[in-house]
Amino acid sequence: MREPEHGGPSPASAFAGDVAAVVLDDEGVVVACSAAASALLACAPGRPCPPLLALLPLDGPPAPHAGDPGAGPGAGPRGETDGLAFEVVRLGAHTRRASASEARWLVLVTPSGTAAEAAARDAARRRTALSHEAAASIGASLDVTETAEAIVGLLVPDFADVATVDLAEPVLAGDEPQRLDLSGEVRLRRTASARSPEIAAEGLLAVGAELPPVSDSAVMRSLMEGRAVLASDVGALRETLGVDPRILRLLVPSGAHSSVAVPLYARGLVLGCVTVWRGRTSAAFGEEDADLLQDVVSRAALGVDNARRYTREHRSVVALQRSLLPRSAWDFAAAETAGAYQPAGGGLGVGGDWFDVIPLPSLRVAFVVGDVVGHGLDATAAMARLRTAVQTLADLDLDPGELLTHLDDLVLGLSSERTTGESPSELAVLGATCLYAVYDPASRECTAATAGHPPPAVLAPGEEPVFVAMTPGPPLGVGGMPFEVTEFAVRPGSMLAFFTNGLVESRGGDIDQGMEKLRSSLAGADRDLPLAEICRATFDGVLPREPVDDVALLLARTHALSGDHIAEWELEADLSLVAHARELVTGRLSEWELDDLAFVTELVASELVTNAIRYAGGPVGLRLIRDRKLICEVTDPSSTQPRLRRARETDEGGRGLFLVAQLTDRWGCRFTRTGKTIWTEQAIGEVKRPW
């Protein structure tokens, strides 16, 4: 603050330099003043300033008035005299000579025209700031509801006292809204709302509620054509809408005096509407406000449309992936299974994790779990290719290590297809991981191989969970590396847990800690609960609220065939023993009360044993398995694939395998480490299981 100078500037030029400000004591005596104030008011330090005495609250600090632009702690009244505007502010500091009880008052003086210009500049600044903030904040989210909430949060309380966003129902689901006829009714749902406490709006429609239908009117026609509607008088708006008063209370805040409604208009479609209201404590909306809101809403419409399209794509990808996953619950003779899948959080969405349960001949079952790099539709498409390949290879009944070798070759082949242009789905399979395991309820053994995938956990009855010690092979697509097969015994009633690395890996975390967390969660699970509930409890106990990667979990509760459901014999390579084989088969079927299947099974066993002895040598294994179907297996040491052919009339042989195929429901051949096994299946009645 400058002291006044003699011969100061004239009143006309006073505001060109110094600030026009005066400091007064309680009696109105000038303590200090600026040069501009000295010229305008002819005041000097040490003497009273008569033009300002009426402004001082000599009885104490004034009470702020609602709506006063200068109201607030320590603020005094505003006044206007002879083209000058005054604002009085109580000062918290005192001079050294002043006592603690003395007050000091700062009076700011401006010409009235300057105050109006300042208010106009301030309003323009606010509008510019709002436009910039809208460009920075709206559209940051790919969620329709979050985008709507960002809109109302931007508008209240700086621009409006109440703001609402109403969207068409299809938009919330990710679909395009219907192209409505202008004469039709518009159906919207309130998606977001915000209001300041200065306006009465208690009866306004709640978020989530459907807006009541509004019939055709000039207001609705303007909105449907993409134009803003400015209502400086809410009373006139109520009459224009022509809506029942009970419905009107849901749409119009009781304390509002003006409103602006702007449609969310993008690509020729009306996605919804943004409506703002002002109450008694704010100035009415004008044309500049309507233009500003239309600019903000045009940006918001693009954000809402992008979020809508993302919602549709995300929903399609989720539906595609879930349709590609197998049924989550199965109950086979070998095991009861349940699976669960959780997409990644943080906007990453679905990825390429999958699991599969594949029934194999001889009541065996294959468990598959895999992980494709990346997220989105490309990862899902790559997952679908790998899953189809695994199912095809599993139908060949290959050894787990051999199956992964063929799958690895397939991935290498996909990578070589990029000579005509890169495909993201082809790139996604590179580096994918997979675990393939086969469980046999007759031998109670499981064989497994892994291509860069975490090992399964085994929960034997009455024991703590343990992870199977496996030698991991490289991820798919490396090539030239073997996949070692691990065999381990599985006690009846054990539970196997297959999972992807998203369940045990976290950003910045140690995978060993994640494995231990999973082991503890499985150990604390109630094993008598249904597997689906154990799956959900495991997810809740291990996963964060928003996992950084998608997760697949497959649980299997294993069964074992009892000894009285299995009959097996070993025969020497002697054709005279074929008759003995027929006797063994008919005798066991008689014990099982399956005499109606004796003729066919005797013929099938005779043909298969004869071929094995004649072309493969011994020893020859013969096994019968009784469950919901009757299975006949013949094992020999040869690795030659049998071929089905139609014998000619002049041929003396070649009809045995053809007869087997015609008399049984299914037949096939699988290779083992010591040779091959030919199997057949025949349907029987319902058989009660021992578990």
Side-chain angles (χ1 to χ4, degrees), residues 525-691:
D526 184 354
R527 303 184 192 184
D528 294 330
L529 291 175
L531 290 180
E533 295 185 20
I534 299 178
C535 268
R536 181 50 50 192
T538 303
F539 270 15
D540 295 341
V542 177
L543 285 180
R545 179 170 297 180
E546 288 193 353
V548 298
D549 195 6
D550 50 334
V551 180
L553 175 64
L554 175 64
L555 297 181
R557 184 175 286 134
T558 61
H559 305 316
L561 293 177
S562 60
D564 58 352
H565 281 60
I566 304 173
E568 52 186 337
W569 306 274
E570 186 175 293
L571 305 173
E572 297 295 331
D574 186 351
L575 289 175
S576 63
L577 296 178
V578 174
H580 178 59
R582 290 197 295 266
E583 293 175 358
L584 294 174
V585 168
T586 56
R588 183 50 58 98
L589 292 182
S590 178
E591 294 178 11
W592 286 345
E593 299 181 352
L594 297 176
D595 299 282
D596 54 331
L597 299 178
F599 175 76
V600 172
T601 309
E602 177 186 2
L603 179 58
V604 167
S606 176
E607 291 294 337
L608 295 180
V609 170
T610 300
N611 287 344
I613 295 175
R614 180 173 295 168
Y615 301 111
V620 176
L622 175 61
R623 183 166 72 167
L624 297 178
I625 300 175
R626 175 174 68 96
D627 190 67
R628 293 176 179 171
K629 59 189 71 175
L630 178 65
I631 299 166
C632 178
E633 295 181 343
V634 174
T635 303
D636 62 57
S638 173
S639 298
T640 303
Q641 174 73 36
R643 293 183 179 180
L644 178 64
R645 66 185 181 89
R646 186 180 297 275
R648 293 172 295 183
E649 294 182 0
T650 57
D651 291 341
E652 296 183 0
R655 296 177 177 82
L657 202 54
F658 178 78
L659 289 174
V660 169
Q662 296 298 311
L663 294 174
T664 59
D665 297 326
R666 284 204 314 159
W667 78 278
C669 176
R670 67 175 181 271
F671 293 98
T672 65
R673 293 186 178 182
T674 59
K676 69 175 181 296
T677 298
I678 302 177
W679 54 269
T680 65
E681 292 181 359
Q682 300 176 71
I684 59 177
E686 190 71 22
V687 176
K688 185 178 180 181
R689 291 179 180 164
W691 52 82

Side-chain angles (χ1 to χ4, degrees), residues 1-4 18-38 41 43-50 52-53 55-58 86-96 98 102-109:
M1 183 73 67
R2 294 183 181 180
E3 293 294 334
D18 206 353
V19 177
V22 181
V23 178
L24 305 173
D25 64 11
D26 274 340
E27 297 179 355
V29 177
V30 177
V31 177
C33 64
S34 67
S38 177
L41 303 173
C43 59
R47 291 187 293 179
C49 186
L52 303 181
L53 293 178
L55 298 175
L56 294 183
L58 301 180
F86 306 95
E87 182 176 2
V88 182
V89 180
R90 178 171 180 153
L91 300 178
H94 307 290
T95 63
R96 293 181 180 178
E102 293 179 334
R104 294 292 184 267
W105 302 95
L106 172 64
V107 181
L108 301 177
V109 187

Side-chain angles (χ1 to χ4, degrees), residues 231-248:
S232 301
D233 183 2
V234 170
L237 176 64
R238 289 188 174 97
E239 296 179 1
T240 303
L241 289 176
V243 179
D244 185 279
R246 292 173 298 177
I247 297 178
L248 203 60

Side-chain angles (χ1 to χ4, degrees), residues 174-259:
D175 299 325
E176 288 189 350
Q178 182 181 2
R179 295 181 180 271
L180 299 174
D181 183 13
L182 296 181
S183 62
E185 293 183 346
V186 180
R187 293 289 184 133
L188 304 173
R189 184 171 296 276
R190 177 129 313 162
T191 308
S193 177
R195 74 180 183 95
S196 61
E198 284 78 13
I199 187 171
E202 291 77 9
L204 208 60
L205 194 70
V207 172
E210 184 181 359
L211 268 71
V214 179
S215 57
D216 179 39
S217 64
V219 172
M220 296 308 301
R221 282 195 295 271
S222 297
L223 292 176
M224 293 306 300
E225 292 171 358
R227 301 196 305 270
V229 175
L230 170 64
S232 301
D233 183 2
V234 170
L237 176 64
R238 289 188 174 97
E239 296 179 1
T240 303
L241 289 176
V243 179
D244 185 279
R246 292 173 298 177
I247 297 178
L248 203 60
R249 285 194 292 270
L250 300 174
L251 303 177
V252 181
S254 58
H257 59 62
S258 63
S259 169

